[in-house]
């Protein structure tokens, strides 16, 4: 009896138009647990180095986790992974919602998509039955229309749908994967991979149940969290103002990304804050499966006729399309968010590519001619909206901007390159390394380039040390510390975050680490420990590292943009910036803690300690 | 409020005749927990390299742990440590009993003894009051007499006493520390260190209580184990036949050390088995504080007038003085045990030094003249008993034999050296590396030389993998495996064993790892995890390693005797032996898993990960 997982992996070959079902062992499920580690498993085993991420040799993996679909808040999540067209390395992005739960209820833990269809298709999974269907009629359509059309076609109003959007069809390198219209696996361009395979969507209907080992225990935890949240004891701020609630705190501490990270405070911060959003455009709060937190926003805007069916902006979107572009118009930002969701663009990379263009424009490196006549001044909301459309449709200059800021900078020339704030090709999300210095280290060594989704956020909870007490750390460490003690903290926390991306669990539901351990035990029945959970995360990170090394990355790619080595002027942070030498030293310390050598290459011994000797052949030999 | 510890360390300077009390922080207690790690802490901080272990600069540390003295079975234990006169490196040995519990009840977690008294003294600790008293009248006396005399003198019949015995007075390099007459911290010669300080004994009386954070939880566990044991569900074999119960199992599998490890089966095994002991000489079973297992034997022998006040032989003693010397006379072995206990000799090193001499004699390398006329043939019980007396009293050839087999071999010459079965100067205990191959690796890298007390015993429990499931290991591994997967298992298990020597807990009480975790949480109130417990053990092992490196040890000392690279003839093990190349490779894998470099030197990063950056200066620089 499988607890916490369904025991089946669906493999779909679009070139050959075939499907098959694989049944891994329980040991396999325990070792990888799901999400990021499952992505790593298939990429290492099946995706050769140097293949084109947008060619038929790439694989696209939809991976739920052992907690997905249990009755627990935060368990409605999955990973989407493949070789990234944005970074050329490990691609992996998590999203919440309902689709992934439906997939498990339909009998599958993971889907591995391979090959490339000749013409557009979608997948219809109905309680274990799988069909590859024609999708010509869906091609070029907005995400909401596609969802409606498929539901009509399959005859189930409640079928759950994941899709790549028009941006994915166009292989915009930072196209996201959209599920349930308002939930996204945003980063590393998995939408482009989906589009390159001409797989417009996967529709699912499932009626099975995810069985758990100890139902009473699991239900007790589920009820406890629901009560805690409804009593306002946990995640209360997220319910009230959603992730945009962080705008004002970051503004006050001087870490609100502004005008392409040139500044850390924004004069229009209050106008784009979570409080303002709540008090103006918000029409509804939304959630993921089984979650009482309702952190998601639904907005309606008259000025730009913003359609609430596409939800509302997260903090990342308000930062990247707002302060980061110098825009203080919440209506315009919400419209920008709607367009990204309608067409399937990652809002972070979209906003950061636009803010990069705006800085190039402000510095006179490019002019309006370059931009098809658009005057892309910081703060110009119309310019931002026009550029989004051009990108999604690859129209005019949009065809270049769709390549992502790193490639655009290369095209423009050396003057532009320092202004493209990306790591390994992926644009930096809305968290400031000068404020959170261990996060900066995390960005630089992350397998997916700049990514906040498996990273330490070393303010707040870390300062109290409560959240890491279970690892034996009892002393708080300040945010601007990059000592080896801080690296230790970062090593533990990021490995735990990687584990969360394997299990797969949301970080916004305020489960303690001990509760999560008990939940994993209750769901799976495994006699597991915090030790094993950390090792699951470390295993996932190590496998991703191996994949990157095989694809030509090395320690020199584990860098941070020069911008973060300079202090802001006139900022609450004062003259605080990341010290490049300290960062380099911290990086090597992190390598060693991960069991990697001075050049960031995993040792055979650490692979053995992680139980993945099977990948030893992929080690770059000294 | 301190839970699980008393908050006080007693420092006694015998040169200056002073005592003082130190009060470490709670963080300190949590980081080191007690036992081996506390020994390591004081040795690294306070004992300079190259000092004479038997001089005033050495320190002798008595360290209880955070579980010592709680109502839990197996919690009546402590470490005794210092620089070892046997190995010249890290000295540390755990023992059970009652004295250590009394010490905590008297208000102290640890005692650090420094300097050297001019004339014999003993320490009298009465509920927090400390007195250094004259011990001239105790010098040269048997351990039982000393216990009686001190109790009379302090006026408390129930005072608990730890002492070094006559062998300790004589600075026999493998003199043990004796507490409560029948409990021993046997290994690494801590009795000699105690004797060198002219500290004959420490008597204690205490009436405080060890407070625990969650009394109900702790009592539930205590009662549960007591019931499990009395119902015969756990540790039943140990109650029935004690540790000698293992004789027949080892005989059957071909791993019973026989005639100085030349053979692995003994024709007289049945005559010295735990079953035979139970059915003949046994007069009583004995226990440690709070323990329902009663694994200890009390024997009375007529033939040699063996005094039951000195308890009875453990398996280690039956092996080392029995099969290992070719002796099948349980009466004589019991007398040998009594003599060692009466005078304070480690039975393992004593037996192994004698068996070494017997092999030299058998091979004609030495003759009876060398041995003051004793014909030391294998199997000669009288020779064995005579040699014990000579060693304890340093009479005649005993003065040389008291130096331990490694030094004796050096004295005799090159022919003798391969016959001295020791690692780093400490004689190998009664567990056969050809049978348990990861244990052989453990011997070779152990900080105290050949030591079974923090080692993996990779038969039985490992084959089922149940005991290591909590680390995420689900597949059993055979005993003759030395793959990197086996090293991983050994890395986990030995670190956990090191933790047990910090907490300090007995391995013979069949607590599961999860129960131990819950116990530590219940006793201390700390939000700890299996992760932290493993790291406590790894920290202890790493600190011990640092101490050894500082004292001149290097990777070439991490070896195993050539004897174990050869198969036995005519043995159930067949032609199984340790493969030297495999062992070397496994050793480097172990180094790497420990975060050490190719030469076994801890990296600064691992020190940081263990939270002991404070010892970074002690790293040998590359």
């Amino acid at each position: 009896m499988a607890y916490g997982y369904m025991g089946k992996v669906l493999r779909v070959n679009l070139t050959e138009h075939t499907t098959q079902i694989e049944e891994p062992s329980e040991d396999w499920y325990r070792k990888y647990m799901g999400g990021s580690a499952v992505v790593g498993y298939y990429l290492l085993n099946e995706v050769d180095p140097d293949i084109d991420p947008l060619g038929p040799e790439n694989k696209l993996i939809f991976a739920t986790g052992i907690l997905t679909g249990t009755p627990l808040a935060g368990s409605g999540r999955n990973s989407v992974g493949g070789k990234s067209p944005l970074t050329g390395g490990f691609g992996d992005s998590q999203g919440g919602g309902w689709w992934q739960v439906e997939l498990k209820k339909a009998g599958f833990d993971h889907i591995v998509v391979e090959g490339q269809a000749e013409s557009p298709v979608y997948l219809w999974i109905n309680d274990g039955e799988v069909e590859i269907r024609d999708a010509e009629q869906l091609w070029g359509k907005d995400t909401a229309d596609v969802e409606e059309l498929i539901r009509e076609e399959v005859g189930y109003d409640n079928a759950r749908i994941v899709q790549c959007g028009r941006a994915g069809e166009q292989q915009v390198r930072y196209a996201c994967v959209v599920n349930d219209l308002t939930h996204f696996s945003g980063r590393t361009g998995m939408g482009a991979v989906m589009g390159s395979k001409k797989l417009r969507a996967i529709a699912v209907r499932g009626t099975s149940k995810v069985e758990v080992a100890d139902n009473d225990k699991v239900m007790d935890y589920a009820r406890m969290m629901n009560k805690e949240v409804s009593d306002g004891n946990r995640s209360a701020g997220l319910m009230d103002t959603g992730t945009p609630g962080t705008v004002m705190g970051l503004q006050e501490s001087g870490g609100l990304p502004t005008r392409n990270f040139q500044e850390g405070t924004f004069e229009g911060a209050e106008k784009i804050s979570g409080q303002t959003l709540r008090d103006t455009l918000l029409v509804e709060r939304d959630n993921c499966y089984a979650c009482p937190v309702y952190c998601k926003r639904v907005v309606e805007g008259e000025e730009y006729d913003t359609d609430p069916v596409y939800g509302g902006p997260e903090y990342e979107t308000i930062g990247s399309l707002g302060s980061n572009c110098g825009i203080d118009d919440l209506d315009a930002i919400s419209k920008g968010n709607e367009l990204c969701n309608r067409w399937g663009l990652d809002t972070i990379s979209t906003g950061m590519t636009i803010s990069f263009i705006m800085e190039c424009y402000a510095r006179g490196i490019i002019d309006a001619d370059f931009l098809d006549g658009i005057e892309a001044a910081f703060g110009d909301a119309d310019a931002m909206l026009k550029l989004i459309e051009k990108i999604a449709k690859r129209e005019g200059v949009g065809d270049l901007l769709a390549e992502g800021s790193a490639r655009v900078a290369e095209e423009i020339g050396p003057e532009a390159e320092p202004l493209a704030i990306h790591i390994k090709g992926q644009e930096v999300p809305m968290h400031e390394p000068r404020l959170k210095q261990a996060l900066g280290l995390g960005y630089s060594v992350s397998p997916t380039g700049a990514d906040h989704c498996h990273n330490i956020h070393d303010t707040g909870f870390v300062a109290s040390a409560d959240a890491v007490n279970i690892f034996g750390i009892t002393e708080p460490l300040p945010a601007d510390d990059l000592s080896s003690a801080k690296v230790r903290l970062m090593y533990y926390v990021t490995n735990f975050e990687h584990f969360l991306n394997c299990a797969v669990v949301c970080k916004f539901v305020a489960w303690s680490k001990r509760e999560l351990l008990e939940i994993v035990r209750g769901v799976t029945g495994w006699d597991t420990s915090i030790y094993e959970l950390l090792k699951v995360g470390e295993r996932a990170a190590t496998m991703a590292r191996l994949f990157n090394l095989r694809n030509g990355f090395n320690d020199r790619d584990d860098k941070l943009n020069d911008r973060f080595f300079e202090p802001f002027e006139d900022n609450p942070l004062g003259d605080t910036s990341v010290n490049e030498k300290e960062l380099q030293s911290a990086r090597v310390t992190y390598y060693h803690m991960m069991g990697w050598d001075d050049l960031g290459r995993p040792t055979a011994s650490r692979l053995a300690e992680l139980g993945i000797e099977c990948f030893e052949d992929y080690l770059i030999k000294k």
Side-chain angles (χ1 to χ4, degrees), chain A:
Chain A
M1 183 72 203
Y3 293 115
Y5 59 94
M6 310 306 289
K8 286 185 181 159
V9 178
L10 173 63
R11 188 179 288 271
V12 179
N13 189 307
L14 294 177
T15 304
E16 298 175 7
H17 218 79
T18 55
T19 65
Q20 83 187 58
I21 291 168
E22 293 164 9
E23 302 190 12
S25 69
E26 177 162 7
D27 278 355
W28 185 90
Y29 278 96
R30 179 158 176 178
K31 186 174 277 183
Y32 302 109
M33 293 205 182
S36 302
V38 164
V39 168
Y41 177 85
Y42 286 109
L43 290 187
L44 281 178
N45 273 313
E46 303 185 7
V47 174
D48 287 336
D50 305 323
I51 61 114
D52 177 7
L54 298 173
E57 297 88 358
N58 200 5
K59 305 218 172 176
L60 184 66
I61 300 116
F62 295 84
T64 71
I66 40 138
L67 296 186
T68 309
T70 61
L72 298 149
S75 73
R77 283 181 83 75
N78 72 299
S79 258
V80 185
K83 180 169 175 175
S84 168
L86 196 57
T87 70
F90 186 75
D92 178 39
S93 185
Q94 289 78 39
W98 308 77
W99 174 85
Q100 49 286 88
V101 174
E102 200 76 12
L103 179 68
K104 272 184 97 164
K105 288 182 172 175
F108 298 110
D109 300 296
H110 317 304
I111 307 176
V112 180
V113 182
E114 45 194 39
Q116 202 164 44
E118 273 189 24
S119 60
V121 295
Y122 77 95
L123 219 60
W124 167 228
I125 303 174
N126 186 0
D127 257 343
E129 297 298 308
V130 185
E131 220 178 303
I132 302 173
R133 290 188 166 196
D134 186 61
E136 205 71 70
Q137 74 288 7
L138 307 174
W139 209 247
K141 294 227 158 48
D142 290 351
T143 50
D145 298 335
V146 164
E147 184 152 303
E148 211 177 302
L149 285 166
I150 291 181
R151 281 179 172 167
E152 257 171 50
E153 203 169 297
V154 300
Y156 287 100
D157 261 8
N158 54 359
R160 296 287 179 183
I161 289 146
V162 67
Q163 55 175 317
C164 66
R166 286 178 72 168
E169 293 177 2
Q170 295 295 329
Q171 302 179 26
V172 175
R173 285 187 189 269
Y174 44 93
C176 66
V177 167
V178 183
N179 58 276
D180 309 298
L181 279 187
T182 56
H183 303 261
F184 310 92
S185 295
R187 311 302 321 268
T188 68
M190 291 301 108
V193 177
M194 196 168 175
S196 75
K197 299 197 171 304
K198 293 204 169 62
L199 177 65
R200 179 57 207 253
I202 305 175
V204 181
R205 178 182 166 264
T207 58
S208 298
K209 194 173 172 261
V210 179
E211 300 289 343
V212 303
D214 185 341
N215 197 54
D216 289 346
K217 181 174 180 177
V218 171
M219 284 311 298
D220 281 350
Y221 274 102
R223 282 189 210 104
M224 180 278 288
M225 182 55 81
N226 289 354
K227 185 167 182 340
E228 284 281 283
V229 171
S230 67
D231 289 353
N233 296 329
R234 300 207 204 186
S235 306
L238 277 166
M239 186 181 268
D240 181 33
T241 50
T243 54
T246 57
V247 167
M248 290 315 294
L250 290 172
Q251 164 78 358
E252 276 153 33
S253 50
L256 182 66
T258 300
R259 283 177 277 269
N260 203 36
F261 280 95
Q262 292 181 98
E263 295 153 81
T265 54
F266 180 45
E267 64 285 356
E270 259 195 76
K271 292 166 81 176
I272 62 170
S273 73
Q275 290 76 2
T276 303
L277 186 74
R278 175 194 63 199
D279 300 339
T280 57
L281 303 182
L282 188 79
V283 292
E284 207 182 326
R285 290 175 173 84
D286 201 5
N287 72 337
C288 294
Y289 163 84
C291 188
V293 177
Y294 281 77
C295 74
K296 299 186 74 67
R297 314 284 93 178
V298 181
V299 302
E300 194 165 356
E302 278 181 31
E303 193 183 337
Y304 291 94
D305 193 22
T306 306
D307 188 345
V309 77
Y310 291 109
E314 299 281 351
Y315 161 69
E316 296 295 333
T317 309
I318 288 183
S320 53
L321 300 178
S323 57
N324 187 55
C325 288
I327 293 170
D328 63 6
D329 178 349
L330 210 42
D331 249 311
I333 295 166
S334 295
K335 183 64 187 180
N337 177 67
E338 185 231 79
L339 295 180
C340 287
N341 297 358
R342 181 186 290 272
W343 295 323
L345 283 172
D346 173 33
T347 58
I348 299 173
S349 284
T350 302
M352 284 294 291
T353 299
I354 294 173
S355 70
F356 155 71
I357 283 298
M358 285 177 166
E359 188 176 350
C360 288
Y361 179 86
R363 291 183 187 270
I365 300 170
I366 57 170
D367 56 18
D369 284 351
F370 183 90
L371 298 169
D372 305 339
I374 298 170
E375 306 277 357
F378 276 120
D380 188 324
D382 283 330
M384 179 264 286
L385 294 174
K386 279 183 198 148
L387 288 170
I388 290 178
E389 182 160 5
K390 279 181 175 287
I391 291 167
K393 300 181 175 171
R394 277 195 182 261
E395 285 174 1
V397 71
D399 194 38
L400 174 62
L401 303 189
E403 297 293 296
S405 58
R407 286 175 174 82
V408 179
E410 216 176 309
E411 186 72 25
I412 296 177
E415 273 177 297
E417 285 185 7
L419 316 185
I421 311 300
H422 70 88
I423 295 169
K424 297 185 178 71
Q426 170 148 281
E427 289 77 9
V428 172
M430 297 298 108
H431 305 271
E432 172 56 73
R434 279 164 288 197
L435 172 62
K436 310 175 192 174
Q437 302 217 352
L439 170 114
L441 171 61
Y443 279 170
S444 67
V445 299
S446 157
T448 46
D451 200 324
H452 64 297
C453 292
H454 44 243
N455 221 319
I456 183 171
H457 291 264
D458 53 329
T459 52
F461 89 102
V462 173
S464 80
D466 276 357
V468 288
N469 203 284
I470 198 166
F471 304 135
I473 296 182
T474 52
E475 288 162 39
L477 293 166
D480 65 353
D481 178 13
L482 266 179
S483 69
S484 54
K486 184 66 164 292
V487 179
R488 173 196 188 200
L489 186 69
M490 177 265 192
Y491 166 66
Y492 290 175
V493 171
T494 53
N495 282 341
F496 200 82
E497 296 282 311
H498 281 294
F499 150 72
L500 294 178
N501 292 340
C502 296
V504 187
V505 202
C506 182
K507 294 114 205 252
F508 291 162
V509 181
W511 294 112
S512 74
K513 293 182 177 63
R514 184 171 305 285
E515 286 164 354
L516 283 165
L517 168 63
E518 291 307 318
I519 283 169
V520 173
R521 292 178 64 204
V523 167
T524 62
W526 296 329
D527 181 27
T528 185
S529 61
I530 288 287
Y531 192 90
E532 184 178 4
L533 302 191
L534 275 177
K535 287 295 166 185
V536 167
E538 188 168 356
R539 188 178 292 129
T542 301
M543 288 163 71
R545 181 82 182 177
L546 284 179
F547 185 77
N548 279 349
L549 292 174
R550 251 206 323 176
N551 277 283
F553 285 89
N554 61 40
D555 62 310
R556 290 183 302 281
D557 298 301
D558 294 340
K559 60 191 177 188
L560 201 57
N561 311 75
D562 287 347
R563 182 149 286 177
F564 301 122
F565 301 135
E566 295 298 326
F568 297 113
E569 281 173 27
D570 203 17
N571 180 296
L573 275 175
D575 60 357
T576 300
S577 63
V578 181
N579 181 304
E580 191 170 2
K581 257 186 109 164
E582 272 178 29
L583 181 72
Q584 279 168 354
S585 161
R587 191 185 61 194
V588 174
T589 301
Y590 172 78
Y591 288 169
H592 290 169
M593 288 186 185
M594 288 293 286
W596 303 350
D597 69 10
D598 291 348
L599 298 176
R601 299 171 302 193
T603 57
S605 307
R606 186 57 66 99
L607 295 195
E609 200 228 313
L610 296 170
I612 47 172
E613 302 92 329
C614 51
F615 301 123
E616 197 179 318
D617 287 347
Y618 301 148
L619 290 183
I620 316 292
K621 304 289 177 205
K622 282 184 204 175

